[in-house]
């Protein structure tokens, strides 16, 4: 693979994307003789590249500059591969917990979108209808024309709610704050629109916070119960949960997360950021899960077992607008992101980042290749993609 190809993959595959030993499990399965209806032969017919995947996660731990641990599951019609590397915590150096739970961040948005699309299939929500129809006391006059679809694909023009600040230290000082998402909505909806609804795309949590409120209003139950009743329990995702409003810990086995901070002498501190209140993310980013559960969710979603095929098209439809921040073509859909590989293969996925944790799910639409990863990144909210996560993505989709 030449440098240009690596760069192209790096740009395309951000799924939105003492060191312990690498533990790997590989299994080959025969490719089906027939394709899915309406879909050609698998786009990624070669089995997962086990050696490349092992190299991508080798050597992780307290001394690694980018990550202390990683959990990976690659699957599809051509075979599967599982691996883990690094340490569960830097104090004891115990090997990473392969089935450990982690904060999946904005992967939550895919679950939220799936519930909204289910409600659309049931004709309880009109995607082209104004959000104000469902939340008349919440949505202000300035956003009276914003539709449900525009929230799903981030073209609403609603600005972000105010917070403690973007720096790590500002976030750290408020890590145990309990946030009411409805207060965030009041704050954001009192501001002027960033742009005319439907004219641009800007990825912001506020869109999915408002969708969480919509789900509660339409279903008459909590957002968490709606997701549990409609997705988690039917699929048997028993290791996936939403923390309570005041919860700060990850319950059950997990690998601890760390943020690298520079020290005056040029060395670095790895600050433990595992315990954190995520109520400010709610329906946009506070789910806790495992790689096994997220793999099952991804396969079920793409197989039309969660959202009916007509509504599922929203997850594979990119609006014909430009990105508000950089002027490039939009890439986000109603819950996923479109990814074009250098060879023309199209994949779809969603990434998430919480301090200490980078997560990604992705697949080709015919499920010839799937990927789920959790990387305990030491700079999970950095502007650049975590190099370990990027290496995993490149190895997973490499020919």
């Amino acid at each position: 693979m030449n440098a240009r190809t690596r760069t192209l993959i790096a740009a395309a595959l951000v799924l939105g994307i003492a060191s312990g030993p690498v533990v790997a499990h590989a299994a080959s399965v025969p490719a089906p003789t027939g394709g899915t209806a309406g879909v050609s032969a698998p786009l990624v017919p070669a089995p997962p590249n086990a050696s490349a995947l092992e190299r991508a996660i080798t050597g992780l731990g307290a001394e690694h500059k980018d990550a202390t641990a990683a959990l990976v599951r690659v699957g599809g019609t051509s075979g599967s591969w599982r691996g883990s590397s690094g340490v569960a915590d830097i104090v004891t150096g115990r090997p990473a917990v392969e089935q450990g739970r982690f904060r999946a961040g904005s992967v939550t948005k895919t679950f939220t979108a799936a519930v909204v699309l289910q409600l659309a299939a049931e004709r309880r929500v009109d995607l082209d209808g104004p959000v104000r129809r469902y939340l008349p006391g919440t949505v202000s006059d300035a956003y009276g024309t914003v539709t449900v679809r525009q929230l799903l694909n981030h073209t609403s023009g609603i600005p972000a709610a105010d917070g403690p600040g973007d720096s790590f230290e500002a976030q750290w000082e408020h890590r145990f704050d309990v946030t009411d998402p409805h207060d965030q909505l009041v704050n954001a909806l009192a501001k002027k629109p960033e742009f005319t609804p439907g004219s641009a795309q800007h990825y912001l949590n506020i869109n999915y916070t408002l969708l969480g409120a919509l789900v509660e209003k339409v279903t008459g139950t909590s957002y968490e119960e709606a997701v549990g009743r409609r997705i988690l329990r039917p699929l048997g995702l028993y290791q996936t949960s939403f923390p309570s409003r005041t919860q700060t810990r990850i319950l059950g086995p997990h690998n601890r997360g760390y943020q690298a901070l520079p020290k005056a002498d040029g060395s670095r501190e790895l600050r433990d950021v595992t315990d954190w209140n995520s109520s400010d993310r709610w329906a946009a980013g506070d789910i806790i899960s495992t790689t096994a559960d997220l793999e099952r969710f991804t396969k079920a979603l793409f197989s039309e077992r969660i959202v009916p095929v007509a509504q599922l098209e929203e997850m594979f439809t990119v609006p014909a607008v430009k990105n508000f921040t950089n002027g490039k073509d939009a890439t986000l859909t109603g819950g996923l992101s479109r990814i074009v590989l250098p060879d023309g293969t199209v994949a779809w996925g969603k990434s998430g980042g919480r301090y200490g944790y980078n997560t990604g799910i992705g697949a080709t639409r015919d499920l010839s290749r799937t990927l789920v990863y959790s990387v305990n990144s030491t700079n999970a909210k950095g502007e650049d993609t975590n190099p370990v996560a990027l290496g995993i993505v490149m190895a997973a989709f490499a020919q």
Side-chain angles (χ1 to χ4, degrees), residues 140 142-146 150-151 153-162 166 187-207 322-326 332:
S140 60
Y143 299 101
T145 64
V146 170
Q150 288 167 348
L151 294 181
N153 63 26
H154 298 278
T155 60
S156 71
I158 302 173
D162 295 328
D166 294 332
N187 179 277
L189 293 168
K191 300 178 181 181
K192 295 180 180 179
E194 290 187 320
F195 49 82
T196 302
S199 66
Q201 187 173 79
H202 192 186
Y203 180 78
L204 291 174
N205 285 339
I206 197 66
N207 293 295
K322 299 293 185 181
N323 184 295
F324 178 68
T325 59
N326 60 27
L332 303 173

Side-chain angles (χ1 to χ4, degrees), residues 3-261:
R4 181 174 182 274
T5 299
R6 286 195 297 270
T7 301
L8 286 170
I9 295 177
L13 285 179
V14 181
L15 296 176
I17 90 127
S19 66
V22 174
V23 180
H25 311 280
S28 296
V29 298
T33 56
T36 303
V39 179
S40 60
L43 296 174
V44 188
N49 188 327
S51 60
L53 287 162
E54 288 179 11
R55 287 194 300 272
I57 62 174
T58 294
L60 306 186
E63 301 306 317
H64 195 282
K65 69 183 183 70
D66 297 311
T68 57
L71 312 175
V72 183
R73 295 176 76 97
V74 179
T77 54
S78 59
S80 63
W81 186 91
R82 302 174 190 173
S84 63
S85 179
V87 297
D89 67 85
I90 64 173
V91 176
T92 68
R94 294 181 296 116
V97 181
E98 186 175 6
Q99 300 300 325
R101 301 175 186 178
F102 48 81
R103 301 188 189 278
S106 286
V107 171
T108 308
K109 292 181 176 70
T110 310
F111 286 80
T112 304
V115 172
V116 172
L117 293 173
Q118 286 181 351
L119 294 172
E122 296 163 11
R123 300 191 177 185
R124 300 172 68 183
V125 168
D126 179 1
L127 297 183
D128 289 316
V131 181
R132 198 175 189 185
R133 176 187 301 169
Y134 308 99
L135 298 167
T138 300
V139 179
S140 60
D141 291 345
Y143 299 101
T145 64
V146 170
T147 68
V148 177
R149 178 177 280 110
Q150 288 167 348
L151 294 181
L152 283 167
N153 63 26
H154 298 278
T155 60
S156 71
I158 302 173
D162 295 328
D166 294 332
S167 71
F168 169 77
E169 291 298 347
Q171 296 282 329
W172 173 260
E173 290 301 317
H174 293 271
R175 67 192 183 281
F176 297 138
D177 288 2
V178 177
T179 301
D180 185 336
H182 296 89
D183 290 342
Q184 292 180 310
L185 293 177
V186 170
N187 179 277
L189 293 168
K191 300 178 181 181
K192 295 180 180 179
E194 290 187 320
F195 49 82
T196 302
S199 66
Q201 187 173 79
H202 192 186
Y203 180 78
L204 291 174
N205 285 339
I206 197 66
N207 293 295
Y208 277 71
T209 302
L210 193 49
L211 286 173
L214 180 149
V215 167
E216 292 195 328
K217 185 69 173 181
V218 174
T219 63
T221 188
S222 70
Y223 163 79
E224 295 83 358
E225 174 59 22
V227 177
R229 182 182 302 169
R230 290 168 168 271
I231 299 177
L232 304 188
R233 292 195 286 276
L235 290 181
L237 306 183
Y238 300 121
Q239 306 305 313
T240 301
S241 63
F242 293 93
S244 69
R245 194 64 56 84
T246 58
Q247 182 180 324
T248 60
R249 298 177 58 201
I250 299 175
L251 304 180
H254 59 276
N255 301 312
R256 300 195 71 81
Y258 301 89
Q259 175 71 19
L261 300 171

Side-chain angles (χ1 to χ4, degrees), residues 103-105 276-278 280-281 285 352-358 380-381:
R103 301 188 189 278
W276 204 290
N277 183 290
S278 60
D280 62 327
R281 296 299 189 265
R354 299 288 293 156
Y355 283 115
Y357 302 89
N358 280 132
K381 303 294 284 185

Side-chain angles (χ1 to χ4, degrees), residues 48 73-81 295 299 367-371:
R73 295 176 76 97
V74 179
T77 54
S78 59
S80 63
W81 186 91
E295 182 180 62
K299 290 179 177 179
L367 291 175
S368 55
R369 180 60 43 86
T370 65
L371 168 65

Side-chain angles (χ1 to χ4, degrees), residues 274-355:
T274 310
D275 297 338
W276 204 290
N277 183 290
S278 60
S279 58
D280 62 327
R281 296 299 189 265
W282 193 45
D286 73 351
I287 204 168
I288 293 172
S289 192
T290 65
T291 55
D293 270 13
L294 290 182
E295 182 180 62
R296 182 178 297 179
F297 169 72
T298 302
K299 290 179 177 179
L301 181 67
F302 281 53
S303 299
E304 303 161 12
R305 292 195 287 121
I306 299 176
V307 178
V309 61
Q311 287 71 34
L312 187 61
E313 282 303 312
E314 294 296 326
M315 288 195 171
F316 301 109
T317 302
V318 179
V321 297
K322 299 293 185 181
N323 184 295
F324 178 68
T325 59
N326 60 27
K328 297 181 180 179
D329 289 342
T331 58
L332 303 173
T333 71
L336 294 173
S337 179
R338 184 174 188 266
I339 306 146
V340 182
L341 290 95
D343 65 358
T345 298
V346 176
W348 307 84
K350 187 73 190 75
S351 63
R354 299 288 293 156
Y355 283 115

